[in-house]
DNA sequence: CGCGAGCTTGATGCCGATCAATGCATGTGG
DNA sequence: CCACATGCATTGATCGGCATCAAGCTCGCG
């Protein structure tokens, strides 16, 4: 999310899982080098996705999962009548496509918010390998389970938090994930618009903008367009939790 | 019956997966009889949960998944400051406990809304068996994926629907699942309170009650306490979708 | 430079929360 | 059996937070 993606558009050579700096956040967690080599053997392909384009769309046939190597994605579902809901933002090391396993079709769109590069993981082969490597199986199950738990957290947010609490929770979640990837966590550049944030949080873009302004007035943030400086993380944290009354 | 030493209220006899009337909605989907026998071997235990009691609670260690045989559950997460969110309602054939895989601890409470009976599926053994039986592996992955997709649908509901639309969607979802289990689908008894429905839908109980009343006034439902008669399902469906304007 | 996408800010209105009273079913003990 | 308590549901009155509508503003870019 932080780096300038325009230096190299296409990886000319393959980076093995064992050499990938995201391996501690991705599928290979807990695997030995020889196991990673086996995983590498099925993750033969890369794919670049230019900013604004879809990695897949709802209705597309499902064949592979994708691991984000560089770049930033959003996933969104939409109902018949055109209502739209962003269901998540994905960064390096996170898996995309889990929604497709259940019905062999994708049920949401995955759109790159900046030029991106993903590892293509043919699902059928992954299943086969997971039957041989219990470490891989375990990690895969953990990732799915954590996605479910994350979704439950979003439900809590959407069902019972107020606008500013939602935005605070969102920012803290983002910074935490960035910190896990070696970024500062107090200074970040949003890859998504106010409208996309609003869709994720169940708010209108004006409300998101107002909340940003209010946080700035209260000295918790410095906001310059999409560049956010977190000045008082504990205050944000307090908003998310015990702010009532 | 298993000679369980600590058997408080165990089923007097075991019903094999192959004979269970829920097998087409549960883990054994797509498995042969001999495969189901192998599954039976690890699903040796049953557990009864009286109404109002928890099958597990957030923070409990995770060891097993549970398949609902009879009865009705809710799952709910809560934040530090006591906010509470119902994340789902589970009925016969549905799995409980998937949230625990990611961290080896449960992250939500599962509470029986009526006296219930569940199959205990030791997770470690399930993993082992899934490595042998690709059909089991596939179905397990499908169930997890569908849970993720379901959660995305709830996010859409919470993020972008209005009160009556949410309740309509909720009722239609319930009736559809009941129909899949051989019930009429037009007449149902709610197992949960207005408050629990409200928590699930991100509404207050008064709002839920008012929406029920309004549906009744409009001739779409007949509401007598928890007994609901669906008089005009298409009208409900229309509310969920293209009601805008 | 002028255009347009995205962002900010203000004014107003509505949906659902909140507060409060009543109704209704079930259960308990006198 | 009734009196009473309790939990849940309904309904009304009022209030507040966020949506909506409507201008401007900022910045990148052709």
């Amino acid at each position: 999310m932080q780096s300038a993606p325009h230096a190299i558009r296409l990886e000319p050579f393959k980076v093995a899982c064992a050499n990938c700096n995201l391996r501690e956040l991705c599928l290979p967690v807990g695997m030995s080098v020889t196991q990673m080599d086996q995983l590498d053997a099925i993750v033969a392909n890369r794919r670049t996705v230019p900013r604004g384009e879809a990695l897949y769309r709802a209705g597309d046939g499902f064949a592979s999962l994708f691991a984000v190597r560089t770049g930033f994605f959003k996933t969104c579902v939409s109902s018949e009548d055109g209502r739209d809901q962003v269901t998540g933002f994905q960064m390096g090391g996170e898996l995309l496509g889990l929604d497709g396993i259940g019905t062999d079709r994708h049920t949401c769109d995955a759109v790159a918010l900046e030029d991106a590069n993903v590892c293509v993981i043919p699902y059928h082969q992954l299943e086969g390998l997971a039957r041989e490597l219990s470490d891989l199986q375990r990690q895969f199950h953990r990732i799915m389970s954590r996605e479910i738990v994350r979704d439950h957290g979003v439900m809590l947010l959407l069902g019972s938090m107020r606008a500013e609490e939602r935005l605070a929770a969102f920012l803290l979640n983002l910074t935490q994930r960035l910190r896990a990837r070696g970024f500062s966590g107090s200074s970040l550049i949003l890859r998504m618009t106010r409208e996309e944030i609003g869709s994720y949080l169940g708010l209108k873009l004006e409300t998101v903008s107002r909340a940003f302004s209010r946080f700035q007035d209260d000295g918790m943030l410095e906001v310059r367009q999409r560049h956010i400086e977190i000045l008082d993380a504990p205050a944000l944290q307090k908003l998310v939790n015990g702010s009532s009354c």
Side-chain angles (χ1 to χ4, degrees), chain A:
Chain A
M1 174 160 181
Q2 298 305 84
S3 58
H6 304 298
I8 300 174
R9 296 262 313 199
L10 187 68
E11 282 287 316
F13 43 86
K14 180 165 156 55
V15 174
C17 288
N19 299 326
C20 178
N21 59 348
L22 292 166
R23 68 181 177 283
E24 288 307 322
L25 298 160
C26 194
L27 214 40
V29 169
M31 289 169 64
S32 70
V33 173
T34 55
Q35 288 174 332
M36 278 190 237
D37 287 345
Q38 293 182 261
L39 183 55
D40 269 323
I42 70 169
V43 185
N45 269 346
R46 294 282 137 64
R47 200 173 135 191
T48 65
V49 187
R51 170 188 167 136
E53 295 201 1
L55 176 59
Y56 56 79
R57 293 206 169 272
D60 288 357
F62 166 76
S64 299
L65 299 174
F66 307 94
V68 181
R69 266 167 45 78
T70 64
F72 201 85
F73 286 85
K74 72 170 175 180
T75 48
C76 49
V77 295
S78 38
S79 57
E80 274 95 279
D81 55 326
R83 257 188 286 241
D84 215 56
Q85 173 79 21
V86 172
T87 55
F89 298 105
Q90 293 80 23
M91 57 179 77
E94 296 178 331
L95 284 196
L96 280 161
L98 298 173
D99 60 286
I101 297 171
T103 56
D104 289 328
R105 303 218 150 258
H106 287 288
T107 61
C108 65
D109 300 348
V111 177
L113 297 181
E114 58 180 5
D115 291 353
N117 187 275
V118 300
C119 299
V120 180
I121 308 170
Y123 177 65
H124 190 70
Q125 293 179 255
L126 179 67
E127 275 195 333
L129 194 57
R131 268 179 264 128
E132 293 174 32
L133 306 178
S134 67
D135 291 330
L136 174 62
Q137 180 194 38
R138 166 168 299 115
Q139 178 59 12
F140 179 54
H141 290 172
R142 285 199 165 144
I143 286 172
M144 294 203 97
S145 171
R146 282 180 196 148
E147 173 66 16
I148 291 170
V149 170
R150 184 192 75 82
D151 292 348
H152 289 175
V154 175
M155 285 186 214
L156 178 66
L157 179 148
L158 291 171
S160 69
M161 288 187 177
R162 291 196 285 89
E164 294 183 5
E165 299 168 342
R166 296 185 198 188
L167 186 62
F170 169 72
L171 289 172
L172 289 173
N173 174 277
L174 218 48
T175 55
Q176 178 211 315
R177 285 153 69 198
L178 288 170
R179 230 178 289 115
R181 284 157 182 79
F183 297 103
S184 88
S186 69
S187 171
L188 64 152
I189 296 174
L190 300 175
R191 272 22 277 207
M192 67 295 278
T193 68
R194 301 289 192 258
E195 186 169 19
E196 286 160 340
I197 297 173
S199 174
Y200 182 58
L201 299 177
L203 303 169
K204 292 291 147 183
L205 69 96
E206 295 96 324
T207 305
V208 174
S209 178
R210 276 184 245 269
F212 270 127
S213 298
R214 190 156 214 289
F215 286 171
Q216 182 159 249
D217 293 347
D218 294 353
M220 297 154 76
L221 298 183
E222 191 180 321
V223 183
R224 289 196 315 279
Q225 302 287 119
R226 298 196 183 181
H227 186 108
I228 307 289
E229 206 77 39
I230 307 235
L231 304 175
D232 192 353
L236 287 177
Q237 188 62 61
K238 218 171 140 205
L239 248 189
V240 176
N241 293 332
S243 82
S244 46
C245 311

